[in-house]
Amino acid sequence: MPVITKISVQKHNKERYSIFTDSGRGEEYAFSVDEDVLIKHNLKKGMELDDFSVTEMLFQDDIRKAYNTAINYLAHRMRSEAEVRDYLLKKEIADPVIKEAIHKLYEYKFLNDEEFANAFVRTQLNTTDKGAEVIKMELKNKGISPDLISKVVEEVSFDEQLEKAIKLSDKYAQKNKKDSSKILKQKIEQMLQRKGYSFAIIRAALDETKVEKEEDDEMDALRIQGEKLHNKYSKLPEREYRQKLKMALYRKGFPMEMIDEFITEKENEE
């Protein structure tokens, strides 16, 4: 059996050691191990090594390397177990090694999916305008279990989500004053759906948002839209012009009596 003849610290990594052995053919480099593995197996000069012990040491060393790789990955921010597992797989680390490294990360409290999920939800709520449904999908993509997703998202209060949705709705309504009340309402609903707000939140937010315009404001919005369409269709024959203008404004959500009023205004101008 090979006998350890020398143990030396590696130049570029003081926590790793090169093991040299002699199997009867003179001293030669055999393998390297992490300091923890060296201590655990009490490696020293003159020790005989068998194949089983070497295999076990190398397996433990692979676990240690995977663990250290994961620690470096976790140093930037919290990660879910699935994110760490996927990262190690991309590093071409074997599944049994990853399993043991993940176990070690839990043991030393570097991994905790519930803490990660809670922190993720809180960060998204504080720094973005995302609703609960989008946050749920993002947690799912990060490998968080459905039960845990339900648990952490349910802890977000209805009022907290509603407050954000109302602010988004008010801001959107202010920026889109030229739209008809009907279309503005539809656009706000679609915007809030895309951002992940539930139908209950959307309905409540719309109730608190000034979407329905006063008649004069609605007419002003119609005139803005109507002028653009008038310029587009004005060279058409009168009957076709009136048809296209009416249908275009109706599709934009304006009531027919206001459309007729606008067309009359344009005819009187001419």
Side-chain angles (χ1 to χ4, degrees):
M1 286 189 292
V3 177
I4 296 176
T5 56
K6 184 173 69 175
I7 299 175
S8 61
V9 180
Q10 292 189 348
K11 288 183 180 180
H12 301 296
N13 188 344
K14 300 302 182 183
E15 294 183 355
R16 290 193 66 78
Y17 292 78
S18 296
I19 311 299
F20 294 83
T21 62
D22 187 345
S23 301
R25 300 186 300 273
E27 183 179 87
E28 58 184 358
Y29 170 79
F31 55 87
S32 64
V33 293
D34 189 89
E35 186 174 46
D36 282 2
V37 177
L38 182 84
I39 295 169
K40 181 179 179 180
H41 291 270
N42 195 25
L43 297 180
K44 56 190 176 182
K45 186 175 178 180
M47 178 184 285
E48 288 187 342
L49 299 175
D50 57 49
D51 289 344
F52 177 79
S53 61
V54 171
T55 300
E56 177 62 20
M57 278 188 281
L58 293 179
F59 180 65
Q60 293 297 324
D61 190 57
D62 284 344
I63 293 170
R64 188 68 191 180
K65 285 190 286 187
Y67 174 81
N68 289 337
T69 300
I71 291 295
N72 289 332
Y73 183 56
L74 288 163
H76 302 287
R77 65 168 175 83
M78 291 180 73
R79 313 269 184 180
S80 67
E81 177 187 328
E83 285 181 303
V84 173
R85 192 179 294 278
D86 288 345
Y87 180 76
L88 294 178
L89 280 170
K90 288 176 183 176
K91 296 289 184 180
E92 299 184 348
I93 297 171
D95 282 333
V97 174
I98 292 174
K99 182 179 178 180
E100 293 300 323
I102 293 289
H103 176 75
K104 199 175 186 69
L105 290 166
Y106 271 109
E107 181 182 352
Y108 290 101
K109 303 188 185 307
F110 286 107
L111 274 183
N112 185 314
D113 270 3
E114 184 167 354
E115 287 183 6
F116 167 81
N118 277 312
F120 182 84
V121 169
R122 196 46 48 193
T123 299
Q124 296 303 303
L125 290 173
N126 291 337
T127 62
T128 75
D129 54 17
K130 296 171 185 174
E133 298 306 312
V134 164
I135 294 173
K136 283 181 182 179
M137 185 59 64
E138 290 179 347
L139 284 172
K140 181 181 178 182
N141 291 339
K142 291 181 180 297
I144 303 301
S145 69
D147 289 344
L148 185 51
I149 291 173
S150 296
K151 179 182 177 182
V152 297
V153 174
E154 281 173 6
E155 292 176 2
V156 181
S157 72
F158 183 92
D159 290 344
E160 185 177 1
Q161 293 185 72
L162 177 58
E163 183 181 354
K164 289 181 65 177
I166 291 172
K167 286 181 180 178
L168 285 170
S169 299
D170 286 339
K171 184 178 179 181
Y172 194 91
Q174 287 297 316
K175 289 176 66 176
N176 293 272
K177 291 180 178 179
K178 62 181 176 58
D179 289 326
S180 67
S181 299
K182 181 179 178 181
I183 293 299
L184 180 59
K185 182 179 179 182
Q186 289 176 359
K187 285 184 175 181
I188 290 175
E189 286 178 344
Q190 292 167 357
M191 178 270 293
L192 291 176
Q193 283 179 2
R194 287 194 303 272
K195 291 185 179 295
Y197 290 92
S198 67
F199 289 112
I201 295 286
I202 293 171
R203 285 195 297 269
L206 285 170
D207 288 341
E208 298 294 327
T209 305
K210 188 179 179 183
V211 177
E212 297 294 332
K213 294 185 176 72
E214 298 293 336
E215 188 172 328
D216 287 347
D217 293 334
E218 186 84 346
M219 192 64 199
D220 287 342
L222 187 151
R223 289 188 182 106
I224 292 171
Q225 301 278 354
E227 286 295 337
K228 294 177 184 177
L229 292 166
H230 168 75
N231 293 333
K232 181 179 180 180
Y233 300 131
S234 59
K235 294 183 180 180
L236 295 174
E238 183 179 350
R239 183 177 177 183
E240 187 178 356
Y241 159 79
R242 288 172 66 90
Q243 279 184 336
K244 286 187 177 294
L245 185 58
K246 274 190 175 186
M247 289 308 299
L249 288 171
Y250 187 72
R251 283 195 295 270
K252 290 182 179 292
F254 294 105
M256 194 58 73
E257 58 270 20
M258 284 190 176
I259 296 172
D260 289 335
E261 182 181 342
F262 172 74
I263 291 175
T264 300
E265 284 179 3
K266 297 307 293 180
E267 288 174 346
N268 290 337
E269 286 176 8
E270 296 172 1

